[in-house]
Amino acid sequence: IAHIAHVRVGYQPKGRVEHDIDGTYRLVQIKDFQEDGAIDFDSLSWVVPDRDPGKFQLRNGDVLFSARGKYNAAYVLTDAPPHTIAGGNFLVVRSKQKGVLPEYLAWCLNQPVMQEEIRGRMMGSNIPYISKKAFEQLEVLVPPLKTQRMICELISLQQQERRLLNQVAAKREQLVQAVCYRAAHHLVRRGERG
C-alpha cells in the first residue's frame, strides 16, 4: 500500500472526545457509519482540536480504514463537508496516483482474503489493532483503470440491488402484518374469538 497511497493515523485528541457545540471541526468516528458505509455528516460530533487540524482534514476520495477492534472495514469518503477530520481509530488512505481508484482500494481492503491478512498482522489483546507500518506493508493488486472501474460498477450495482431487496422485504413485512391485523380485527368484531 505504501507504494500507491499515503497513509496517516486519524486525529487523536489528548483527552476524551466530547461533543462541543462551539466546535470548529466535525469528527468522524466508527459509530457514525451506517450499514451501507454512508455517513450522516449532520450527526457528527463537533470538536475543538487541541493542535493544528490541517493535516487531519479529510477530502472526498479518502479511504477511511477502521484499524482498531474486530471489525476492520474500509470506507470511501464522499460528500464530506469542509472542516471534517477522522478519529484516531482510523487510518486515512489517500491515493498517490491517479491509477488507483479509492473505491477499488476500499473494495480490496474489504475482501475476505485481505481481511484475513489484516487479522494476522494485528497486535494487542484487549482491543486489537493494526499499526500504520504493518498496514502499509499490505500488498494490493492494481489492475488497469478500466478493470478497476468495471469492478467498482459491479459492486455498486450489487449494493443497489441489496438496498432494493431490503426495501422490498420491509414492505412485504408491513403488508403481512397489516393483513394479519385486519384478519384478527375482523374476527374479533364478528365475535369469533378463540
Side-chain angles (χ1 to χ4, degrees), residues 145-159:
L145 267 175
K146 183 178 179 182
T147 304
Q148 291 180 51
R149 283 193 188 97
M150 285 172 41
I151 290 170
C152 293
E153 286 172 18
L154 194 58
I155 296 305
S156 177
L157 288 171
Q158 180 191 35
Q159 290 169 345

Side-chain angles (χ1 to χ4, degrees), residues 59-108:
R59 64 183 187 211
N60 291 332
D62 284 346
V63 175
L64 300 185
F65 178 77
S66 174
R68 289 187 175 273
K70 294 179 181 176
Y71 186 64
N72 309 106
Y75 309 92
V76 179
L77 198 62
T78 57
D79 302 321
H83 301 283
T84 302
I85 57 179
N89 287 339
F90 289 106
L91 292 175
V92 180
V93 186
R94 186 173 292 165
S95 181
K96 288 181 182 177
Q97 48 193 273
K98 292 183 179 179
V100 182
L101 297 175
E103 296 82 3
Y104 173 78
L105 183 55
W107 174 79
C108 283

Side-chain angles (χ1 to χ4, degrees), residues 121-139:
R121 294 172 183 243
M122 297 195 78
M123 301 181 284
S125 53
N126 192 15
I127 299 176
Y129 68 95
I130 184 167
S131 70
K132 176 179 175 278
K133 183 177 180 181
F135 181 82
E136 288 177 324
Q137 292 171 351
L138 292 171
E139 291 187 24

Side-chain angles (χ1 to χ4, degrees), residues 32-39 71 75 159 162-163 166:
D32 298 315
F33 281 91
Q34 298 164 356
E35 282 184 34
D36 63 357
I39 303 172
Y71 186 64
Y75 309 92
Q159 290 169 345
R162 189 178 298 130
R163 279 192 295 273
N166 287 341

